[in-house]
């Protein structure tokens, strides 16, 4: 236990989210600015550097990783990274979160490389609203990506939708229905203050409202049998057998006290919270050939210093300087 990533609140960390790029082929209003200066490619951790970091994190208790961005599939040769991570003894779970635009071509190579968990972000099935939210076209490409993922063998395929009052709240039922029809698992995410646009609490479409809409239009929902109260997503199933729904109530029901995550940004900064103000540079350690012990100690210290929670619901909340695309969602 002494070696583990434990903070002063006793939270044990086994989950590492790795951003592989801050670049994106969409410009979702709630996530990033329209005009953006991306990181210099030389600043990005190489696959070898990422792999060394993960190898050092495993003895500290990390056994689950998720690849994200920016848009992770904009980074060349992601199946190679999946293979490199899969080969690390002790890593039992590799996931990827993507907007799906480039997935139609990459789903099969990713599956063949050993990826088994995939989350695809899709906020609306309406092409006009897709363009309004993402500031780019692409709905058809995302749908192709979703079906390619199913065909490649991913099971379940999870679809992430951010619900914003007056913008995408109208999409809850169509998305819920679409997921039921195609055997996909919908996950609705409350809108968080981590993008470039001004966030207002009034725009958060709350978990209970999402559930009410789904239950009225589709079928009653009950907690799944193996319901894990500590998981970020509250998991429900339709009583008519129509599948599962996850709701990530980061604002109305923060799950900070059971948080088990740390994040590595594409430019090699370690963050102990999505909303962290401070981050620790590990790239200079990896590039400077620092000894393994030193890097492990930096990880332990970073987690030990983790604060109690994100404070979104208090006057003390401070928005991080980086927006979501540059942290890794
Ligand atoms: N580009 C990939 C994608 O779209 O899935 C991975 C990165 S994206 C930042 C990861 C997730 O963060 C997406 O599901 C996105 O909808 C979510 N996200 C971004 N900004 C958010 C916000 N302000 N509130 C809630 N979720 C947000």
């Amino acid at each position: 236990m002494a070696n583990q990533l434990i903070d002063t609140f006793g939270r044990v960390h086994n989950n590492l989210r790795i951003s592989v790029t801050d670049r994106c082929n969409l410009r979702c209003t709630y996530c990033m600015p329209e005009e953006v200066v991306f990181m210099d490619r030389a600043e990005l951790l190489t696959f070898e550097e990422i792999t060394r970091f993960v190898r050092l994190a495993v003895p500290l208790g990390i056994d689950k990783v998720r690849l994200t961005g920016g848009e992770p599939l904009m980074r060349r040769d992601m199946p190679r990274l999946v293979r490199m991570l899969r080969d690390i003894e002790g890593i039992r779970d590799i996931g990827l979160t993507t907007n799906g635009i480039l997935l139609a071509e990459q789903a099969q190579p990713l599956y063949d490389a050993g990826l088994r968990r995939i989350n695809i972000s899709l906020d609306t099935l309406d092409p006009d609203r897709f363009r309004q939210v993402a500031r780019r076209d692409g709905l058809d490409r995302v749908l192709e990506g979703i079906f390619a993922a199913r065909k490649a063998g991913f099971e379940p395929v999870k679809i992430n939708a951010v619900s914003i009052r007056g913008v995408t709240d109208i999409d809850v039922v169509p998305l819920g229905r679409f997921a039921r029809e195609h055997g996909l698992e919908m996950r609705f995410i409350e809108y968080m203050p981590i993008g470039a646009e001004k966030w207002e609490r009034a725009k958060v479409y709350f978990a209970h409202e999402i559930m009410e809409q789904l239950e009225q239009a589709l079928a009653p929902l009950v907690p799944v049998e193996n319901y894990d109260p500590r998981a970020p997503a509250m998991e429900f199933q339709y009583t008519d057998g129509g599948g599962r729904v996850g709701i990530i109530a980061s604002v109305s029901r923060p799950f900070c006290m059971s948080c088990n995550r740390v994040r590595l940004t594409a430019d090699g900064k370690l963050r102990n919270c999505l909303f962290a103000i401070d981050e620790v540079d590990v790239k200079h350690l990896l590039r400077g050939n620092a000894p393994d012990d030193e890097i492990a100690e930096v990880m332990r210290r970073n987690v030990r210093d983790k604060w109690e929670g994100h404070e979104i619901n208090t006057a003390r909340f401070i928005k991080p300087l980086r927006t979501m695309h540059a942290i890794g969602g």
Side-chain angles (χ1 to χ4, degrees), residues 66 96-101 103 107 117-123 141-150 154 157-161 184-187:
R66 175 163 291 271
L96 178 118
T97 303
T98 171
N99 62 27
I101 296 277
L103 189 58
R117 293 162 72 83
I118 197 153
N119 290 40
I120 305 169
S121 302
L122 176 63
D123 303 322
R141 299 279 300 142
V142 179
L143 295 176
E144 275 175 50
I146 291 172
F147 296 126
R150 285 301 304 271
F154 289 98
V157 171
K158 295 187 180 173
I159 309 294
N160 289 355
L184 308 162
E185 194 171 320
M186 251 343 278
R187 293 154 70 92

PDB file of all heavy atoms in Angstrom, residues 66 96-101 103 107 117-123 141-150 154 157-161 184-187:
ATOM      1  N   ARG A  66      -7.139   5.372 -20.310  1.00  0.00           N
ATOM      2  CA  ARG A  66      -8.044   5.809 -21.377  1.00  0.00           C
ATOM      3  C   ARG A  66      -7.323   6.829 -22.215  1.00  0.00           C
ATOM      4  O   ARG A  66      -6.712   7.770 -21.689  1.00  0.00           O
ATOM      5  CB  ARG A  66      -9.336   6.389 -20.797  1.00  0.00           C
ATOM      6  CG  ARG A  66     -10.257   6.978 -21.867  1.00  0.00           C
ATOM      7  CD  ARG A  66     -11.670   7.162 -21.345  1.00  0.00           C
ATOM      8  NE  ARG A  66     -12.328   5.888 -21.132  1.00  0.00           N
ATOM      9  CZ  ARG A  66     -13.041   5.234 -22.060  1.00  0.00           C
ATOM     10  NH1 ARG A  66     -13.176   5.732 -23.269  1.00  0.00           N
ATOM     11  NH2 ARG A  66     -13.609   4.084 -21.782  1.00  0.00           N
ATOM     12  N   LEU A  96     -10.756   4.294 -25.162  1.00  0.00           N
ATOM     13  CA  LEU A  96     -10.478   5.442 -26.022  1.00  0.00           C
ATOM     14  C   LEU A  96     -11.767   6.260 -26.156  1.00  0.00           C
ATOM     15  O   LEU A  96     -12.847   5.689 -26.301  1.00  0.00           O
ATOM     16  CB  LEU A  96     -10.019   4.955 -27.400  1.00  0.00           C
ATOM     17  CG  LEU A  96      -9.734   6.034 -28.431  1.00  0.00           C
ATOM     18  CD1 LEU A  96      -8.259   5.993 -28.854  1.00  0.00           C
ATOM     19  CD2 LEU A  96     -10.580   5.885 -29.685  1.00  0.00           C
ATOM     20  N   THR A  97     -11.622   7.571 -26.068  1.00  0.00           N
ATOM     21  CA  THR A  97     -12.768   8.454 -26.265  1.00  0.00           C
ATOM     22  C   THR A  97     -12.514   9.264 -27.528  1.00  0.00           C
ATOM     23  O   THR A  97     -11.472   9.900 -27.654  1.00  0.00           O
ATOM     24  CB  THR A  97     -12.937   9.405 -25.057  1.00  0.00           C
ATOM     25  OG1 THR A  97     -13.075   8.617 -23.879  1.00  0.00           O
ATOM     26  CG2 THR A  97     -14.174  10.263 -25.198  1.00  0.00           C
ATOM     27  N   THR A  98     -13.460   9.235 -28.454  1.00  0.00           N
ATOM     28  CA  THR A  98     -13.255   9.876 -29.762  1.00  0.00           C
ATOM     29  C   THR A  98     -14.531  10.578 -30.206  1.00  0.00           C
ATOM     30  O   THR A  98     -15.631  10.199 -29.786  1.00  0.00           O
ATOM     31  CB  THR A  98     -12.866   8.809 -30.819  1.00  0.00           C
ATOM     32  OG1 THR A  98     -12.884   9.418 -32.117  1.00  0.00           O
ATOM     33  CG2 THR A  98     -13.805   7.615 -30.833  1.00  0.00           C
ATOM     34  N   ASN A  99     -14.366  11.573 -31.089  1.00  0.00           N
ATOM     35  CA  ASN A  99     -15.566  12.201 -31.661  1.00  0.00           C
ATOM     36  C   ASN A  99     -16.084  11.407 -32.864  1.00  0.00           C
ATOM     37  O   ASN A  99     -17.104  11.764 -33.445  1.00  0.00           O
ATOM     38  CB  ASN A  99     -15.307  13.663 -32.034  1.00  0.00           C
ATOM     39  CG  ASN A  99     -14.240  13.842 -33.104  1.00  0.00           C
ATOM     40  OD1 ASN A  99     -14.008  12.966 -33.926  1.00  0.00           O
ATOM     41  ND2 ASN A  99     -13.592  15.000 -33.097  1.00  0.00           N
ATOM     42  N   GLY A 100     -15.372  10.369 -33.259  1.00  0.00           N
ATOM     43  CA  GLY A 100     -15.877   9.457 -34.278  1.00  0.00           C
ATOM     44  C   GLY A 100     -15.626   9.877 -35.719  1.00  0.00           C
ATOM     45  O   GLY A 100     -15.822   9.070 -36.635  1.00  0.00           O
ATOM     46  N   ILE A 101     -15.152  11.101 -35.931  1.00  0.00           N
ATOM     47  CA  ILE A 101     -15.002  11.593 -37.313  1.00  0.00           C
ATOM     48  C   ILE A 101     -14.059  10.694 -38.121  1.00  0.00           C
ATOM     49  O   ILE A 101     -14.302  10.427 -39.295  1.00  0.00           O
ATOM     50  CB  ILE A 101     -14.464  13.053 -37.306  1.00  0.00           C
ATOM     51  CG1 ILE A 101     -15.480  13.997 -36.654  1.00  0.00           C
ATOM     52  CG2 ILE A 101     -14.050  13.515 -38.699  1.00  0.00           C
ATOM     53  CD1 ILE A 101     -16.582  14.488 -37.538  1.00  0.00           C
ATOM     54  N   LEU A 103     -13.234   7.563 -37.253  1.00  0.00           N
ATOM     55  CA  LEU A 103     -13.313   6.202 -36.717  1.00  0.00           C
ATOM     56  C   LEU A 103     -13.640   5.147 -37.770  1.00  0.00           C
ATOM     57  O   LEU A 103     -13.214   3.998 -37.646  1.00  0.00           O
ATOM     58  CB  LEU A 103     -14.349   6.164 -35.581  1.00  0.00           C
ATOM     59  CG  LEU A 103     -14.428   4.897 -34.759  1.00  0.00           C
ATOM     60  CD1 LEU A 103     -13.090   4.569 -34.112  1.00  0.00           C
ATOM     61  CD2 LEU A 103     -15.518   5.023 -33.698  1.00  0.00           C
ATOM     62  N   ALA A 107     -11.547   1.978 -36.809  1.00  0.00           N
ATOM     63  CA  ALA A 107     -12.170   1.097 -35.810  1.00  0.00           C
ATOM     64  C   ALA A 107     -11.546  -0.304 -35.843  1.00  0.00           C
ATOM     65  O   ALA A 107     -11.157  -0.849 -34.804  1.00  0.00           O
ATOM     66  CB  ALA A 107     -13.673   1.025 -36.043  1.00  0.00           C
ATOM     67  N   ARG A 117     -12.540  -1.018 -25.375  1.00  0.00           N
ATOM     68  CA  ARG A 117     -13.540  -0.087 -24.836  1.00  0.00           C
ATOM     69  C   ARG A 117     -13.507   1.200 -25.633  1.00  0.00           C
ATOM     70  O   ARG A 117     -12.451   1.814 -25.786  1.00  0.00           O
ATOM     71  CB  ARG A 117     -13.251   0.195 -23.365  1.00  0.00           C
ATOM     72  CG  ARG A 117     -13.461  -1.047 -22.512  1.00  0.00           C
ATOM     73  CD  ARG A 117     -12.787  -0.904 -21.191  1.00  0.00           C
ATOM     74  NE  ARG A 117     -13.448   0.037 -20.329  1.00  0.00           N
ATOM     75  CZ  ARG A 117     -14.493  -0.259 -19.571  1.00  0.00           C
ATOM     76  NH1 ARG A 117     -14.978  -1.471 -19.569  1.00  0.00           N
ATOM     77  NH2 ARG A 117     -15.036   0.637 -18.795  1.00  0.00           N
ATOM     78  N   ILE A 118     -14.671   1.605 -26.129  1.00  0.00           N
ATOM     79  CA  ILE A 118     -14.698   2.816 -26.941  1.00  0.00           C
ATOM     80  C   ILE A 118     -15.918   3.672 -26.585  1.00  0.00           C
ATOM     81  O   ILE A 118     -17.011   3.144 -26.398  1.00  0.00           O
ATOM     82  CB  ILE A 118     -14.672   2.472 -28.452  1.00  0.00           C
ATOM     83  CG1 ILE A 118     -14.274   3.705 -29.253  1.00  0.00           C
ATOM     84  CG2 ILE A 118     -15.978   1.915 -28.966  1.00  0.00           C
ATOM     85  CD1 ILE A 118     -13.612   3.378 -30.565  1.00  0.00           C
ATOM     86  N   ASN A 119     -15.670   4.968 -26.418  1.00  0.00           N
ATOM     87  CA  ASN A 119     -16.741   5.924 -26.188  1.00  0.00           C
ATOM     88  C   ASN A 119     -16.718   6.921 -27.341  1.00  0.00           C
ATOM     89  O   ASN A 119     -15.663   7.456 -27.669  1.00  0.00           O
ATOM     90  CB  ASN A 119     -16.524   6.702 -24.883  1.00  0.00           C
ATOM     91  CG  ASN A 119     -16.714   5.830 -23.668  1.00  0.00           C
ATOM     92  OD1 ASN A 119     -16.291   4.682 -23.665  1.00  0.00           O
ATOM     93  ND2 ASN A 119     -17.331   6.365 -22.641  1.00  0.00           N
ATOM     94  N   ILE A 120     -17.866   7.133 -27.935  1.00  0.00           N
ATOM     95  CA  ILE A 120     -17.946   8.041 -29.083  1.00  0.00           C
ATOM     96  C   ILE A 120     -18.847   9.210 -28.688  1.00  0.00           C
ATOM     97  O   ILE A 120     -19.959   8.997 -28.184  1.00  0.00           O
ATOM     98  CB  ILE A 120     -18.512   7.305 -30.316  1.00  0.00           C
ATOM     99  CG1 ILE A 120     -17.671   6.046 -30.604  1.00  0.00           C
ATOM    100  CG2 ILE A 120     -18.555   8.237 -31.524  1.00  0.00           C
ATOM    101  CD1 ILE A 120     -18.262   5.097 -31.619  1.00  0.00           C
ATOM    102  N   SER A 121     -18.364  10.420 -28.899  1.00  0.00           N
ATOM    103  CA  SER A 121     -19.133  11.592 -28.479  1.00  0.00           C
ATOM    104  C   SER A 121     -20.086  12.013 -29.587  1.00  0.00           C
ATOM    105  O   SER A 121     -19.675  12.173 -30.737  1.00  0.00           O
ATOM    106  CB  SER A 121     -18.181  12.744 -28.150  1.00  0.00           C
ATOM    107  OG  SER A 121     -17.301  12.323 -27.140  1.00  0.00           O
ATOM    108  N   LEU A 122     -21.336  12.179 -29.229  1.00  0.00           N
ATOM    109  CA  LEU A 122     -22.348  12.621 -30.194  1.00  0.00           C
ATOM    110  C   LEU A 122     -23.477  13.296 -29.413  1.00  0.00           C
ATOM    111  O   LEU A 122     -24.146  12.655 -28.615  1.00  0.00           O
ATOM    112  CB  LEU A 122     -22.883  11.416 -30.992  1.00  0.00           C
ATOM    113  CG  LEU A 122     -24.012  11.729 -31.971  1.00  0.00           C
ATOM    114  CD1 LEU A 122     -23.557  12.691 -33.062  1.00  0.00           C
ATOM    115  CD2 LEU A 122     -24.539  10.440 -32.618  1.00  0.00           C
ATOM    116  N   ASP A 123     -23.655  14.594 -29.646  1.00  0.00           N
ATOM    117  CA  ASP A 123     -24.599  15.359 -28.838  1.00  0.00           C
ATOM    118  C   ASP A 123     -25.970  15.485 -29.477  1.00  0.00           C
ATOM    119  O   ASP A 123     -26.934  15.864 -28.814  1.00  0.00           O
ATOM    120  CB  ASP A 123     -24.060  16.775 -28.599  1.00  0.00           C
ATOM    121  CG  ASP A 123     -22.699  16.768 -27.941  1.00  0.00           C
ATOM    122  OD1 ASP A 123     -22.485  15.900 -27.075  1.00  0.00           O
ATOM    123  OD2 ASP A 123     -21.852  17.608 -28.296  1.00  0.00           O
ATOM    124  N   ARG A 141     -20.270  11.339 -40.810  1.00  0.00           N
ATOM    125  CA  ARG A 141     -19.000  10.650 -40.540  1.00  0.00           C
ATOM    126  C   ARG A 141     -19.056   9.973 -39.161  1.00  0.00           C
ATOM    127  O   ARG A 141     -18.590   8.849 -38.982  1.00  0.00           O
ATOM    128  CB  ARG A 141     -17.827  11.646 -40.546  1.00  0.00           C
ATOM    129  CG  ARG A 141     -17.622  12.359 -41.858  1.00  0.00           C
ATOM    130  CD  ARG A 141     -16.879  11.527 -42.858  1.00  0.00           C
ATOM    131  NE  ARG A 141     -15.556  11.162 -42.367  1.00  0.00           N
ATOM    132  CZ  ARG A 141     -14.980   9.986 -42.574  1.00  0.00           C
ATOM    133  NH1 ARG A 141     -15.630   9.052 -43.230  1.00  0.00           N
ATOM    134  NH2 ARG A 141     -13.767   9.741 -42.117  1.00  0.00           N
ATOM    135  N   VAL A 142     -19.623  10.679 -38.189  1.00  0.00           N
ATOM    136  CA  VAL A 142     -19.687  10.105 -36.840  1.00  0.00           C
ATOM    137  C   VAL A 142     -20.577   8.858 -36.850  1.00  0.00           C
ATOM    138  O   VAL A 142     -20.214   7.823 -36.266  1.00  0.00           O
ATOM    139  CB  VAL A 142     -20.219  11.135 -35.816  1.00  0.00           C
ATOM    140  CG1 VAL A 142     -20.302  10.518 -34.425  1.00  0.00           C
ATOM    141  CG2 VAL A 142     -19.330  12.378 -35.801  1.00  0.00           C
ATOM    142  N   LEU A 143     -21.700   8.957 -37.552  1.00  0.00           N
ATOM    143  CA  LEU A 143     -22.599   7.793 -37.609  1.00  0.00           C
ATOM    144  C   LEU A 143     -21.893   6.608 -38.278  1.00  0.00           C
ATOM    145  O   LEU A 143     -21.969   5.478 -37.800  1.00  0.00           O
ATOM    146  CB  LEU A 143     -23.899   8.150 -38.342  1.00  0.00           C
ATOM    147  CG  LEU A 143     -24.767   9.195 -37.617  1.00  0.00           C
ATOM    148  CD1 LEU A 143     -25.986   9.562 -38.450  1.00  0.00           C
ATOM    149  CD2 LEU A 143     -25.210   8.707 -36.234  1.00  0.00           C
ATOM    150  N   GLU A 144     -21.166   6.914 -39.357  1.00  0.00           N
ATOM    151  CA  GLU A 144     -20.385   5.831 -40.004  1.00  0.00           C
ATOM    152  C   GLU A 144     -19.394   5.224 -39.011  1.00  0.00           C
ATOM    153  O   GLU A 144     -19.192   4.014 -38.967  1.00  0.00           O
ATOM    154  CB  GLU A 144     -19.556   6.394 -41.170  1.00  0.00           C
ATOM    155  CG  GLU A 144     -20.264   6.515 -42.488  1.00  0.00           C
ATOM    156  CD  GLU A 144     -19.343   7.200 -43.504  1.00  0.00           C
ATOM    157  OE1 GLU A 144     -18.177   6.781 -43.647  1.00  0.00           O
ATOM    158  OE2 GLU A 144     -19.790   8.180 -44.124  1.00  0.00           O
ATOM    159  N   GLY A 145     -18.766   6.088 -38.227  1.00  0.00           N
ATOM    160  CA  GLY A 145     -17.785   5.630 -37.238  1.00  0.00           C
ATOM    161  C   GLY A 145     -18.431   4.719 -36.201  1.00  0.00           C
ATOM    162  O   GLY A 145     -17.870   3.684 -35.819  1.00  0.00           O
ATOM    163  N   ILE A 146     -19.631   5.107 -35.743  1.00  0.00           N
ATOM    164  CA  ILE A 146     -20.335   4.303 -34.734  1.00  0.00           C
ATOM    165  C   ILE A 146     -20.623   2.902 -35.297  1.00  0.00           C
ATOM    166  O   ILE A 146     -20.356   1.881 -34.653  1.00  0.00           O
ATOM    167  CB  ILE A 146     -21.651   5.005 -34.310  1.00  0.00           C
ATOM    168  CG1 ILE A 146     -21.330   6.284 -33.527  1.00  0.00           C
ATOM    169  CG2 ILE A 146     -22.540   4.064 -33.507  1.00  0.00           C
ATOM    170  CD1 ILE A 146     -22.541   7.160 -33.225  1.00  0.00           C
ATOM    171  N   PHE A 147     -21.121   2.867 -36.526  1.00  0.00           N
ATOM    172  CA  PHE A 147     -21.479   1.556 -37.094  1.00  0.00           C
ATOM    173  C   PHE A 147     -20.229   0.728 -37.396  1.00  0.00           C
ATOM    174  O   PHE A 147     -20.241  -0.494 -37.243  1.00  0.00           O
ATOM    175  CB  PHE A 147     -22.393   1.733 -38.315  1.00  0.00           C
ATOM    176  CG  PHE A 147     -23.719   2.372 -37.937  1.00  0.00           C
ATOM    177  CD1 PHE A 147     -24.187   3.511 -38.579  1.00  0.00           C
ATOM    178  CD2 PHE A 147     -24.468   1.860 -36.890  1.00  0.00           C
ATOM    179  CE1 PHE A 147     -25.390   4.113 -38.194  1.00  0.00           C
ATOM    180  CE2 PHE A 147     -25.673   2.449 -36.488  1.00  0.00           C
ATOM    181  CZ  PHE A 147     -26.132   3.584 -37.151  1.00  0.00           C
ATOM    182  N   ALA A 148     -19.148   1.434 -37.768  1.00  0.00           N
ATOM    183  CA  ALA A 148     -17.891   0.712 -38.009  1.00  0.00           C
ATOM    184  C   ALA A 148     -17.376   0.103 -36.707  1.00  0.00           C
ATOM    185  O   ALA A 148     -16.813  -1.005 -36.702  1.00  0.00           O
ATOM    186  CB  ALA A 148     -16.844   1.647 -38.604  1.00  0.00           C
ATOM    187  N   ALA A 149     -17.569   0.810 -35.606  1.00  0.00           N
ATOM    188  CA  ALA A 149     -17.113   0.290 -34.307  1.00  0.00           C
ATOM    189  C   ALA A 149     -17.893  -0.975 -33.952  1.00  0.00           C
ATOM    190  O   ALA A 149     -17.317  -1.970 -33.502  1.00  0.00           O
ATOM    191  CB  ALA A 149     -17.275   1.352 -33.222  1.00  0.00           C
ATOM    192  N   ARG A 150     -19.200  -0.946 -34.188  1.00  0.00           N
ATOM    193  CA  ARG A 150     -20.010  -2.132 -33.910  1.00  0.00           C
ATOM    194  C   ARG A 150     -19.540  -3.308 -34.775  1.00  0.00           C
ATOM    195  O   ARG A 150     -19.382  -4.422 -34.287  1.00  0.00           O
ATOM    196  CB  ARG A 150     -21.500  -1.857 -34.223  1.00  0.00           C
ATOM    197  CG  ARG A 150     -22.216  -0.996 -33.216  1.00  0.00           C
ATOM    198  CD  ARG A 150     -22.191  -1.595 -31.832  1.00  0.00           C
ATOM    199  NE  ARG A 150     -22.742  -2.946 -31.792  1.00  0.00           N
ATOM    200  CZ  ARG A 150     -24.017  -3.228 -31.600  1.00  0.00           C
ATOM    201  NH1 ARG A 150     -24.873  -2.264 -31.373  1.00  0.00           N
ATOM    202  NH2 ARG A 150     -24.437  -4.467 -31.591  1.00  0.00           N
ATOM    203  N   PHE A 154     -16.550  -3.985 -31.221  1.00  0.00           N
ATOM    204  CA  PHE A 154     -16.642  -3.299 -29.925  1.00  0.00           C
ATOM    205  C   PHE A 154     -18.013  -3.545 -29.315  1.00  0.00           C
ATOM    206  O   PHE A 154     -19.034  -3.387 -29.970  1.00  0.00           O
ATOM    207  CB  PHE A 154     -16.405  -1.790 -30.080  1.00  0.00           C
ATOM    208  CG  PHE A 154     -14.986  -1.440 -30.385  1.00  0.00           C
ATOM    209  CD1 PHE A 154     -14.572  -1.191 -31.681  1.00  0.00           C
ATOM    210  CD2 PHE A 154     -14.044  -1.379 -29.360  1.00  0.00           C
ATOM    211  CE1 PHE A 154     -13.250  -0.880 -31.967  1.00  0.00           C
ATOM    212  CE2 PHE A 154     -12.716  -1.074 -29.633  1.00  0.00           C
ATOM    213  CZ  PHE A 154     -12.319  -0.823 -30.946  1.00  0.00           C
ATOM    214  N   VAL A 157     -20.659  -0.335 -27.392  1.00  0.00           N
ATOM    215  CA  VAL A 157     -20.203   0.965 -27.892  1.00  0.00           C
ATOM    216  C   VAL A 157     -20.971   1.997 -27.077  1.00  0.00           C
ATOM    217  O   VAL A 157     -22.200   1.959 -27.022  1.00  0.00           O
ATOM    218  CB  VAL A 157     -20.528   1.121 -29.400  1.00  0.00           C
ATOM    219  CG1 VAL A 157     -20.253   2.544 -29.862  1.00  0.00           C
ATOM    220  CG2 VAL A 157     -19.715   0.120 -30.208  1.00  0.00           C
ATOM    221  N   LYS A 158     -20.216   2.880 -26.423  1.00  0.00           N
ATOM    222  CA  LYS A 158     -20.877   3.889 -25.586  1.00  0.00           C
ATOM    223  C   LYS A 158     -20.897   5.230 -26.314  1.00  0.00           C
ATOM    224  O   LYS A 158     -19.894   5.609 -26.936  1.00  0.00           O
ATOM    225  CB  LYS A 158     -20.155   4.028 -24.251  1.00  0.00           C
ATOM    226  CG  LYS A 158     -20.248   2.760 -23.424  1.00  0.00           C
ATOM    227  CD  LYS A 158     -19.675   2.950 -22.047  1.00  0.00           C
ATOM    228  CE  LYS A 158     -19.794   1.645 -21.255  1.00  0.00           C
ATOM    229  NZ  LYS A 158     -19.118   1.715 -19.969  1.00  0.00           N
ATOM    230  N   ILE A 159     -22.011   5.914 -26.229  1.00  0.00           N
ATOM    231  CA  ILE A 159     -22.148   7.222 -26.882  1.00  0.00           C
ATOM    232  C   ILE A 159     -22.262   8.287 -25.795  1.00  0.00           C
ATOM    233  O   ILE A 159     -23.128   8.188 -24.921  1.00  0.00           O
ATOM    234  CB  ILE A 159     -23.431   7.268 -27.766  1.00  0.00           C
ATOM    235  CG1 ILE A 159     -23.498   6.066 -28.709  1.00  0.00           C
ATOM    236  CG2 ILE A 159     -23.508   8.588 -28.526  1.00  0.00           C
ATOM    237  CD1 ILE A 159     -22.438   6.013 -29.758  1.00  0.00           C
ATOM    238  N   ASN A 160     -21.380   9.281 -25.838  1.00  0.00           N
ATOM    239  CA  ASN A 160     -21.382  10.356 -24.834  1.00  0.00           C
ATOM    240  C   ASN A 160     -22.065  11.593 -25.402  1.00  0.00           C
ATOM    241  O   ASN A 160     -21.666  12.072 -26.466  1.00  0.00           O
ATOM    242  CB  ASN A 160     -19.948  10.810 -24.516  1.00  0.00           C
ATOM    243  CG  ASN A 160     -19.165   9.800 -23.731  1.00  0.00           C
ATOM    244  OD1 ASN A 160     -19.687   8.765 -23.326  1.00  0.00           O
ATOM    245  ND2 ASN A 160     -17.902  10.093 -23.508  1.00  0.00           N
ATOM    246  N   ALA A 161     -23.028  12.127 -24.681  1.00  0.00           N
ATOM    247  CA  ALA A 161     -23.674  13.368 -25.128  1.00  0.00           C
ATOM    248  C   ALA A 161     -23.654  14.385 -24.000  1.00  0.00           C
ATOM    249  O   ALA A 161     -23.995  14.057 -22.855  1.00  0.00           O
ATOM    250  CB  ALA A 161     -25.120  13.083 -25.527  1.00  0.00           C
ATOM    251  N   LEU A 184     -26.762   0.457 -28.559  1.00  0.00           N
ATOM    252  CA  LEU A 184     -25.640   1.257 -28.060  1.00  0.00           C
ATOM    253  C   LEU A 184     -25.963   1.688 -26.636  1.00  0.00           C
ATOM    254  O   LEU A 184     -27.123   1.713 -26.231  1.00  0.00           O
ATOM    255  CB  LEU A 184     -25.465   2.512 -28.932  1.00  0.00           C
ATOM    256  CG  LEU A 184     -25.378   2.256 -30.434  1.00  0.00           C
ATOM    257  CD1 LEU A 184     -25.652   3.535 -31.213  1.00  0.00           C
ATOM    258  CD2 LEU A 184     -23.993   1.710 -30.781  1.00  0.00           C
ATOM    259  N   GLU A 185     -24.918   2.057 -25.886  1.00  0.00           N
ATOM    260  CA  GLU A 185     -25.167   2.508 -24.515  1.00  0.00           C
ATOM    261  C   GLU A 185     -25.017   4.027 -24.459  1.00  0.00           C
ATOM    262  O   GLU A 185     -23.933   4.557 -24.679  1.00  0.00           O
ATOM    263  CB  GLU A 185     -24.182   1.825 -23.571  1.00  0.00           C
ATOM    264  CG  GLU A 185     -24.602   1.972 -22.135  1.00  0.00           C
ATOM    265  CD  GLU A 185     -23.752   1.116 -21.207  1.00  0.00           C
ATOM    266  OE1 GLU A 185     -23.426  -0.037 -21.575  1.00  0.00           O
ATOM    267  OE2 GLU A 185     -23.403   1.616 -20.140  1.00  0.00           O
ATOM    268  N   MET A 186     -26.105   4.721 -24.197  1.00  0.00           N
ATOM    269  CA  MET A 186     -26.058   6.195 -24.125  1.00  0.00           C
ATOM    270  C   MET A 186     -25.529   6.639 -22.779  1.00  0.00           C
ATOM    271  O   MET A 186     -25.888   6.078 -21.745  1.00  0.00           O
ATOM    272  CB  MET A 186     -27.486   6.725 -24.240  1.00  0.00           C
ATOM    273  CG  MET A 186     -27.945   7.424 -25.451  1.00  0.00           C
ATOM    274  SD  MET A 186     -26.810   8.075 -26.616  1.00  0.00           S
ATOM    275  CE  MET A 186     -26.317   9.637 -25.961  1.00  0.00           C
ATOM    276  N   ARG A 187     -24.709   7.673 -22.790  1.00  0.00           N
ATOM    277  CA  ARG A 187     -24.259   8.289 -21.535  1.00  0.00           C
ATOM    278  C   ARG A 187     -24.421   9.790 -21.677  1.00  0.00           C
ATOM    279  O   ARG A 187     -23.848  10.407 -22.576  1.00  0.00           O
ATOM    280  CB  ARG A 187     -22.793   7.959 -21.274  1.00  0.00           C
ATOM    281  CG  ARG A 187     -22.587   6.475 -20.986  1.00  0.00           C
ATOM    282  CD  ARG A 187     -21.211   6.061 -21.337  1.00  0.00           C
ATOM    283  NE  ARG A 187     -20.272   6.652 -20.393  1.00  0.00           N
ATOM    284  CZ  ARG A 187     -19.872   6.053 -19.291  1.00  0.00           C
ATOM    285  NH1 ARG A 187     -20.305   4.847 -18.987  1.00  0.00           N
ATOM    286  NH2 ARG A 187     -19.021   6.627 -18.490  1.00  0.00           N
TER     287      ARG A 187
END
